[in-house]
Amino acid sequence: MTTTKDVTTPAGSSPPASPRIKPPKSNRRLRLGERTAPYLLILPALVAILVLLGWPTLQLIGISFRKLDLRELVSGEMVWIGFENFSEILSDPEFWEITVRTLVFTAAVVLTTLLLALFMALLMRHLNPVVRVILQVALILAWATPVLATTTVFQWIFDQQYGILNKTLAKLGFDGFIGYSWFSTGPSTLTVIGLLVVWQAVPFVAFTLYAGLLGVPKEQYEAAGIDGANAWQAFWAVSWPAIRPILTMVTFLSVLWDFKLFAQVWAIRQGGPDGASTTLPVYMYLKGLAGNHFGLAATAALLMMLVLVLLTARYVQLLVRTKEADLS
């Protein structure tokens, strides 16, 4: 038989603290593994990004500080000239003219794409199933057509002598379009290129926004209708909060794609007439591959990359604000 012994504690004194129990080593190892597992999972992707993007970026930065013309490229000579390439590019009035033209062109194309895509998404939301499927197939075909094939079709449409657009306008009574050249000036050439880009960009943006609209329950629209909201008020109260984050994402992607557009501009008129439709990617190509001034081309590419980095930073800032608003 065992006996227990009562221990009295003097008044005013605290009882002795219980001994500290150390967690088992296996639990600490498990917690360490849980903390490091996410980083180990993304490590292959980070390595791939550093190899595929980081190393070319470092090479681009290095070339921008060198004189690398055809002679240096063939001989392998390393001629470091510091910031001379930057000084030459930034002091070139043509560079600033082309930069402004590229920014205006990008803004116009992106805005037109978003408005048409939003209209298409809302239209698909309210069409009957048969008409909606026909519209979706047409959008997919426009999106899936190769860039150069679509560019060739647009050149035929806007041809001065045999284009169907001029012939149609002439038959409608617009005699001023008989033999009208859509590629005689820079603004008209960029307009045709912009329509070509919008034609190919609208399907992706429209389907993305349509997917966001499908996520809105019908009960919310019914509740808005019961409250007396019209179609416009229901859009702002129900549809807009659902597609606003998606619209921010596709706006960012569209700006990135349209800002560095090259194939359509070069295939239409190679930046002509007289360089009036030249954009920054075409300018970089003309300086580099066509003009054999690879150092200047690398400098122009680096400046373009800085603009895209600023746009990316702005997009991340908008994402953080949206996340904080959702959590508050």
Side-chain angles (χ1 to χ4, degrees), residues 7 21 23 82 96 121 160 191 245 259 304:
V7 179
I21 300 176
W96 292 107
Q160 181 177 0
T191 300
F259 184 76
M304 284 184 58

Side-chain angles (χ1 to χ4, degrees), residues 51 64-65 84 145 151 197 226:
V51 172
S64 65
F65 290 99
E84 289 187 16
T145 306
T151 304
V197 176
I226 293 174

